[in-house]
Amino acid sequence: LPYLWKDGSFLGLRARNGFIVNITWKNYAPTDVRIMSTTGGKCRIKLYCSAVVCDGKEVDFTHIDNVTEFETALGKEYSFRF
């Protein structure tokens, strides 16, 4: 995000490989990130988090070089803990 955007949000951003992304941030840091998978498959996002959650349960993920990667299921929404 551009440095000039200290606080903000966006909803419904379409990302490659069938993902819909909603993000809210404050003081340049994400406070809420949600990703909906419309096709299933692997999701990769440049974001540091402590957990990826779907349906109230943590899912397996890897985190290398500030990229979080995890498998998704069709129609499921994923959120992140920071």
Side-chain angles (χ1 to χ4, degrees):
L1 299 169
Y3 182 75
L4 295 175
W5 295 359
K6 180 181 175 188
D7 303 320
S9 66
F10 58 78
L11 302 172
L13 177 88
R14 292 280 184 162
R16 288 184 202 159
N17 299 320
F19 297 105
I20 301 172
V21 182
N22 300 329
I23 298 179
T24 301
W25 65 94
K26 191 168 195 93
N27 290 326
Y28 309 106
T31 57
D32 185 48
V33 177
R34 297 181 185 274
I35 297 177
M36 170 72 72
S37 178
T38 64
T39 60
K42 190 173 292 189
C43 179
R44 296 181 77 228
I45 182 169
K46 189 167 186 170
L47 175 74
Y48 182 82
C49 66
S50 61
V52 179
V53 178
C54 179
D55 293 334
K57 298 177 186 172
E58 291 188 12
V59 298
D60 292 333
F61 70 98
T62 60
H63 186 80
I64 300 170
D65 295 330
N66 286 329
V67 175
T68 299
E69 183 174 291
F70 56 98
E71 289 294 329
T72 68
L74 173 68
K76 294 292 186 176
E77 183 178 78
Y78 298 82
S79 60
F80 301 83
R81 292 189 188 134
F82 305 102

